[in-house]
Amino acid sequence: MVNVLSVTDSPERISSVRCDESHGLLRAVDRLAAGQGGVIELIGCPGAGKSRLLGPMTAAARARGITVLDGRCSPTERHYPLAVFTRALAGVMTPEKLAELSPGHASLLRAALCAQLGPDARRPAPLGASQAVRALLERSAGDGGLLLVLDDFHWADPQSLELADHLVRLTAPAPVLLVIVHRPRQAHAPLLGTLAQGVASGQVERIELGALTLRQAASLLDVPPDTGWLPAVFHESQGNPLCLLVLGETAPLNPLLGTRLLTGRLAPLAAELALLDPAERLVAESGAVLGDRFSWEELSAVSELPAPELTTVVTELIDVDVLRPLRGSTSLLTFRHTVLRRMLHDQADHCWRARAHRRALTVLSRRTASAAERAIHIELSAGSFTHEDLEILAKAGEEAVPTSPVDAARWLLLALKGLPPNGESPGRLLGLIPPLSKALRAAEYGCKNDTLQHLLTQGTPLQPTESYRSAVRLCALVDCLHGRYEAADALLAGELAALTATGVPNGDLVARFTVYRGVVALLGQGRNLPRLAAEALLRARTDGHPTTLAGALVLHALAELGEGRTEACLASYDAAVRQMDELPTAEAYLHTEFLALLGCCAFALGRPRDAESFYERGVELTSDCSHNAMLPVLLSGLAEAQLALGRPASARRSAARAADLAGYLNADQLRTHALAQEALCVTYAEPPGSSRASALAEEALRALRPGPGSRYRSAVLTLAETLLKQGSPERCLSLLVELDSPGLTGLSVLDRARHYELLTRAAAAAGVEGGADWVEAAEHTARLIGAPHTFAYAAMARGHFLLRDDRADEAVAAYREAERLFDGSHLRLPQLTARLRAARALAAAGRLDRAVALSERMNALAEQWGVLLYARTSPDHTFEGTLDRGCHALMPAPAPPAADDLALLTQRELEVARLAGTGQRTREIAEALQVSPRTVEVHLSRIYRKLEVGSRAELARLMAVRISPDAVT
């Protein structure tokens, strides 16, 4: 970006932008040098560049030997008659020149211009004075010509205005050029009429300075026409050169108007505002608080002036062109340009301004103004906010993302920092993360905004200058949560390229972003994981902070495990654990994604207890920060570890919470996976035939959408196991076969052993021939990874195949080997499954006594661990074809449980349930409750779980029964 801070508003630059107008003035100088005088009216709004254009003109005149007389009016001299002419003609009012005039004219000039008289003194008649001045100008012009410039003539005193009116009417035969410069809104009406008549007759040339074009604006600011911020600045300035120069300086940073501006090009404007009396200043500052446009009623409420006095003051402000009636409206007012409003706002007393913004907020709330209109006043009204204030900031931030990303990011960050989580919507704050990500990306990650930098690092050990890494991390994280892995990688790759291009990049930042690229490759099943992991580790060891090194080590461990280099994986994993343990809590809090990676690596190594500890630490760190987008990821990982450890009830709570929070984040794949986890947990935790488990499984299946990355595949594996346990091996097999193309090239090597085991078991239960290839693939994966639990899954797959081929004794050996390996890895639930399979194989081999004994031990453990699916299996039933159907044949299916009391629902959930029960669709419910359709879907998911229903139809039937008694009550 071109640095516009060095741009100057020199006369040459203004002239180069307003070429036609400048050439018109210079042509008049040429005609004057040739002996032809006349009158020029140079007219334009404040800041249009009128005075700047006069510089080249007067310089050219002097270079041609023309006498130049220059007079500028001042608002402080409006009560001093003929002040501007006295000053302008001082250079030719010499005794010699007066002696050349007639005695009458000389006497009139001495009386009018030389006597030091007060504002109440009597002056000569205007006609006589004008004739005398004309005679003096003609005598002073000589053969070379004379140029008289009357600048800012809208400030002229009445006598000067009348004198100028006569001079315009009197055509001078001598080479005298009169240039009158003024503003159209403040000019003297009779003089404007005289000049208009002169223009019509051809005696006056009018040069009007209109708004600049976009290309002219780019030239003035010395930036390319396609500069990103230029269109917004141009629109705000309305093509006014002064506004463009001021806004151009502040556009990249958007600070308050600084001292350098106020003492530089804005000094005349500051002096003009200093002339306002206290009442006028109060009303003007009240308007500045209200914004670019406001009504009389709003102005009265903020200024606290009675209507009659306000009317008088507003009339005065319109007369001096501080305020203007809004075009096309009879009730709205505006400022002549935005820079004037900003000056008034910035210079107002801070305490008064805060109270005024609160009064403005009250007025706007009464007329139900938009959230964005109110958010501006909330932000500027106080240092602390009410809950209602923060909700408005959140809503305004979400709405402003497409049009004003900097404002949106600021408001969303304020809401996230201030809004407490509440029991009804614990994920409310997480819903603000996706729009914040969009806003930060559009706002260049807040790099050029001090307020955003402060908000991004507030409450963390990071310095504001380090906010950039937090913003990029958040945007990449949201992309991954939404399944946009290519976009996340492109973002990080682009930022890495920009860092490298600086010549002296931040080594730790380069290492950190390389780690993040590796994480994206891991999640998205990218092929660059080994290369990125090695590069990240090298950079982290060279230039990285301890936190970065911890992330690089665990990423390297996962990459090595995926390549089958288990020893190298364990070395990096152990080093990463030590590194994370040494980190202070504040550092670990900022990088809970590394704890999630450690949990993933520990689980892949068959260490569920370690995984659980890492996930629990991450959840504990984020518990005080409910808007941490990693929270549902950590909860999902925790649920997986807890279930493997044989704690389905705890796992269910973690999975349900993860699904709930993921819904607010619009993280569809994560939510589907968490729903599948919850369905699997309930399947294990409840007796066979649970309608709650079936409803959750169907909900997860409805939410399942094919997509890239490991999260989708994990959801499929979890759902497949759920369907298998619920007695649907055909559906399970269909899911697993369609998971990917032959060879499972898109499936992570870390998941393949479990995948092949499920395939083999589902095929056997469904009576599908084959399976030897899957057994061989499972054993190959186990040999590649080398972890005990992968060999256990391979042994399970072998047992399924052997049992189907009626080789029961060999199957028993395979299952008991799997049980032993799972036990060594503390994988309790797979261990129970292996023991159950062994009991089935023993029964098939005719060894019922041993089968019953093994089953009874399994029942006791299942009862102890809360795995009710296995706790009530009866060895008296035939085992064949039952265990893979959720043990449904082992005991009568219980009647569906009655729906929970509606008291379990929150007030908002009850409203959604009632509307859904009447048959309304999601969009209709959203419109009725003024929430998003996504929020309605999240509420419905929670309602289904609480009431143990699986569809809208079931909910409608339930509500039809339950609402009537409620209504009667």
Side-chain angles (χ1 to χ4, degrees):
M1 181 183 292
V2 177
N3 181 11
V4 298
L5 296 180
S6 61
V7 172
T8 61
D9 52 343
S10 63
E12 292 77 12
R13 179 170 295 280
I14 298 293
S15 299
S16 67
V17 172
R18 292 197 180 276
C19 298
D20 294 341
E21 297 89 341
S22 180
H23 290 162
L25 293 174
L26 294 178
R27 285 194 297 270
V29 172
D30 291 339
R31 293 194 298 269
L32 180 60
Q36 180 182 348
V39 178
I40 291 179
E41 179 190 17
L42 182 59
I43 189 169
C45 291
K50 303 180 295 296
S51 299
R52 297 292 178 180
L53 283 178
L54 295 175
M57 180 189 189
T58 55
R62 291 189 177 96
R64 304 287 289 271
I66 296 173
T67 300
V68 177
L69 304 179
D70 187 6
R72 175 176 295 221
C73 300
S74 169
T76 60
E77 298 176 339
R78 299 185 75 173
H79 300 293
Y80 290 87
L82 301 176
V84 63
F85 282 99
T86 301
R87 188 163 46 253
L89 301 179
V92 294
M93 283 283 293
T94 62
E96 293 78 12
K97 291 294 183 183
L98 292 174
E100 296 176 9
L101 301 177
S102 67
H105 283 168
S107 176
L108 283 173
L109 290 173
R110 289 190 186 96
L113 305 178
C114 296
Q116 298 296 320
L117 303 177
D120 299 326
R122 293 177 60 84
R123 294 286 176 172
L127 180 59
S130 64
Q131 292 172 340
V133 169
R134 187 188 65 172
L136 176 63
L137 295 176
E138 292 175 353
R139 180 66 64 178
S140 301
D143 296 330
L146 182 141
L147 172 63
L148 174 59
V149 178
L150 301 176
D151 197 4
D152 286 341
F153 207 62
H154 47 276
W155 295 124
D157 60 90
Q159 290 80 3
S160 295
L161 289 168
E162 195 169 3
L163 177 56
D165 188 282
H166 284 287
L167 288 175
V168 171
R169 296 172 187 273
L170 298 174
T171 304
V176 175
L177 177 61
L178 173 62
V179 179
I180 296 177
V181 185
H182 57 183
R183 302 173 183 174
R185 288 179 177 270
Q186 295 171 261
H188 189 52
L191 178 59
L192 280 175
T194 300
L195 289 168
Q197 292 175 1
V199 170
S201 64
Q203 295 179 347
V204 176
E205 179 183 0
R206 172 176 290 167
I207 298 178
E208 187 169 358
L209 304 185
L212 298 181
T213 64
L214 181 63
R215 185 166 295 277
Q216 287 176 316
S219 177
L220 177 67
L221 297 176
D222 196 20
V223 299
D226 59 353
T227 300
W229 48 262
L230 181 60
V233 168
F234 176 74
H235 176 75
E236 186 176 0
S237 70
Q238 299 181 341
N240 183 282
L242 176 63
C243 292
L244 274 167
L245 288 165
V246 173
L247 296 174
E249 288 198 18
T250 60
L253 302 177
N254 198 27
L256 298 176
L257 298 177
T259 303
R260 188 174 62 83
L261 278 171
L262 296 175
T263 58
R265 60 171 56 100
L266 290 180
L269 186 56
E272 183 180 335
L273 293 178
L275 297 173
L276 299 178
D277 64 35
E280 292 169 346
R281 186 83 185 197
L282 171 64
V283 172
E285 289 178 352
S286 299
V289 164
L290 285 164
D292 291 326
R293 58 182 61 186
F294 41 88
S295 67
W296 288 75
E297 177 189 0
E298 293 166 348
L299 197 58
S300 176
V302 174
S303 66
E304 299 181 303
L305 286 180
E309 184 178 356
L310 179 69
T311 302
T312 302
V313 174
V314 168
T315 302
E316 290 294 326
L317 290 173
I318 291 175
D319 288 343
V320 296
D321 201 24
V322 171
L323 296 181
R324 294 177 178 178
L326 190 66
R327 183 176 300 176
S329 173
T330 59
S331 60
L332 296 179
L333 299 168
T334 186
F335 287 92
R336 74 174 181 234
H337 55 63
T338 185
V339 171
L340 179 64
R341 187 193 71 79
R342 287 176 60 182
M343 284 186 65
L344 284 162
H345 185 273
D346 294 349
Q347 293 180 348
D349 176 76
H350 177 77
C351 296
W352 174 88
R353 188 173 64 201
R355 294 192 299 271
H357 276 292
R358 184 55 64 171
R359 291 194 293 272
L361 176 62
T362 302
V363 174
L364 294 177
S365 298
R366 281 203 299 264
R367 70 170 175 85
T368 62
S370 69
E373 289 180 275
R374 288 180 284 170
I376 294 171
H377 299 289
I378 291 172
E379 185 180 5
L380 297 172
S381 65
S384 59
F385 310 110
T386 66
H387 184 84
E388 183 181 0
D389 290 344
L390 293 167
E391 285 290 352
I392 293 173
L393 286 171
K395 183 179 180 181
E398 291 176 287
E399 294 174 352
V401 171
T403 57
S404 184
V406 173
D407 289 337
R410 191 175 65 254
W411 292 333
L412 288 168
L413 284 168
L414 285 170
L416 283 168
K417 299 291 182 180
L419 273 173
N422 56 70
E424 182 175 341
S425 309
R428 167 74 175 97
L429 300 182
L430 281 181
L432 303 181
I433 296 294
L436 175 61
S437 169
K438 292 181 182 179
L440 287 174
R441 194 181 300 239
E444 300 180 20
Y445 311 108
C447 291
K448 296 168 182 175
N449 188 285
D450 292 340
T451 303
L452 288 184
Q453 290 179 7
H454 171 72
L455 289 172
L456 282 166
T457 55
Q458 186 179 7
T460 73
L462 295 177
Q463 297 298 316
T465 53
E466 298 177 288
S467 62
Y468 164 71
R469 67 176 61 184
S470 297
V472 172
R473 168 188 174 271
L474 179 66
C475 293
L477 173 59
V478 171
D479 278 341
C480 289
L481 288 171
H482 290 174
R484 299 192 298 263
Y485 301 108
E486 291 185 359
D489 184 69
L491 163 63
L492 293 167
E495 297 306 317
L496 277 169
L499 286 171
T500 307
T502 61
V504 188
N506 182 319
D508 177 67
L509 199 54
V510 171
R512 183 74 56 85
F513 284 0
T514 306
V515 172
Y516 290 157
R517 281 197 74 193
V519 175
V520 172
L522 174 70
L523 296 174
Q525 302 293 300
R527 299 179 180 179
N528 295 327
L529 176 58
R531 177 183 63 80
L532 289 170
E535 181 183 346
L537 185 58
L538 178 62
R539 291 185 178 277
R541 282 176 170 162
T542 305
D543 301 311
H545 293 167
T547 310
T548 307
L549 180 57
L553 283 167
V554 68
L555 180 68
H556 185 259
L558 284 164
E560 292 297 292
L561 185 61
E563 294 296 310
R565 295 188 283 267
T566 308
E567 291 185 5
C569 164
L570 288 171
S572 292
Y573 169 78
D574 291 337
V577 171
R578 290 192 299 272
Q579 193 75 18
M580 285 299 295
D581 287 343
E582 294 173 1
L583 289 178
T585 301
E587 284 290 331
Y589 161 78
L590 291 175
H591 303 289
T592 49
E593 67 271 14
F594 295 157
L595 286 169
L597 280 181
L598 272 174
C600 175
C601 188
F603 198 84
L605 286 169
R607 301 181 179 185
R609 288 182 176 175
D610 289 352
E612 182 186 35
S613 68
F614 294 132
Y615 287 126
E616 281 183 339
R617 184 183 178 194
V619 171
E620 181 182 357
L621 287 172
T622 56
S623 61
D624 293 333
C625 181
S626 57
H627 58 268
N628 190 316
M630 282 300 301
L631 183 55
V633 178
L634 292 162
L635 286 167
S636 176
L638 180 61
E640 189 168 17
Q642 289 170 332
L643 183 61
L645 288 168
R647 294 199 293 273
S650 299
R652 183 205 171 187
R653 287 192 294 270
S654 298
R657 190 177 173 201
D660 190 25
L661 298 180
Y664 286 100
L665 276 169
N666 296 337
D668 294 335
Q669 289 184 1
L670 175 59
R671 178 174 176 270
T672 302
H673 184 207
L675 287 172
Q677 288 177 310
E678 186 181 2
L680 183 58
C681 292
V682 175
T683 300
Y684 277 115
E686 296 190 357
S690 166
S691 62
R692 186 201 305 265
S694 298
L696 286 169
E698 294 303 321
E699 182 183 358
L701 282 168
R702 288 194 298 271
L704 185 65
R705 298 289 184 276
S710 60
R711 188 65 66 179
Y712 164 71
R713 291 168 173 80
S714 297
V716 169
L717 287 179
T718 306
L719 265 177
E721 183 176 354
T722 303
L723 292 171
L724 189 60
K725 293 299 177 185
Q726 292 181 0
S728 300
E730 296 84 0
R731 297 176 74 187
C732 167
L733 191 62
S734 175
L735 271 179
L736 294 173
V737 170
E738 294 178 5
L739 180 59
D740 215 329
S741 57
L744 302 177
T745 55
L747 187 66
S748 169
V749 69
L750 306 179
D751 293 327
R752 289 183 190 177
R754 178 188 173 204
H755 183 273
Y756 290 124
E757 186 269 328
L758 285 173
L759 268 173
T760 312
R761 196 191 329 170
V768 177
E769 295 296 327
D773 291 343
W774 292 331
V775 174
E776 182 180 347
E779 292 175 341
H780 171 75
T781 300
R783 290 192 298 272
L784 176 66
I785 301 299
H789 70 294
T790 59
F791 285 106
Y793 281 118
M796 288 278 285
R798 187 168 65 253
H800 304 328
F801 180 75
L802 291 170
L803 185 59
R804 195 197 61 184
D805 278 3
D806 295 327
R807 296 156 65 182
D809 289 331
E810 295 176 68
V812 171
Y815 287 135
R816 297 313 298 264
E817 178 187 359
E819 182 185 352
R820 179 182 59 81
L821 291 170
F822 281 133
D823 182 51
S825 298
H826 304 289
L827 292 168
R828 289 179 171 179
L829 203 56
Q831 177 192 354
L832 276 182
T833 302
R835 184 172 292 187
L836 187 62
R837 301 292 304 181
R840 176 185 179 184
L842 284 168
R847 292 180 280 178
L848 290 177
D849 291 342
R850 291 189 60 188
V852 169
L854 186 61
S855 178
E856 287 178 350
R857 292 197 299 273
M858 183 209 66
N859 286 345
L861 284 176
E863 192 80 43
Q864 177 184 343
W865 294 340
V867 185
L868 299 186
L869 182 70
Y870 291 166
R872 301 177 186 178
T873 56
S874 172
D876 298 328
H877 288 79
T878 303
F879 279 79
E880 183 63 37
T882 62
L883 299 182
D884 284 320
R885 298 183 179 275
C887 304
H888 289 63
L890 300 183
M891 60 186 302
D900 290 344
D901 196 289
L902 294 183
L904 291 174
L905 304 182
T906 65
Q907 184 61 37
R908 177 63 82 182
E909 289 168 353
L910 185 59
E911 292 174 357
V912 172
R914 290 182 186 277
L915 292 173
T918 63
Q920 293 193 35
R921 298 182 178 181
T922 298
R923 186 167 297 280
E924 294 170 337
I925 298 173
E927 292 175 355
L929 299 181
Q930 295 185 340
V931 296
S932 69
R934 167 70 62 176
T935 301
V936 173
E937 291 291 343
V938 171
H939 283 309
L940 284 171
S941 297
R942 289 154 64 181
I943 292 167
Y944 292 162
R945 286 200 296 273
K946 291 181 179 181
L947 300 184
E948 300 183 27
V949 297
S951 67
R952 290 280 186 96
E954 290 183 53
L955 178 61
R957 287 194 295 271
L958 174 65
M959 295 305 293
V961 174
R962 300 303 299 271
I963 289 175
S964 297
D966 292 346
V968 172
T969 301

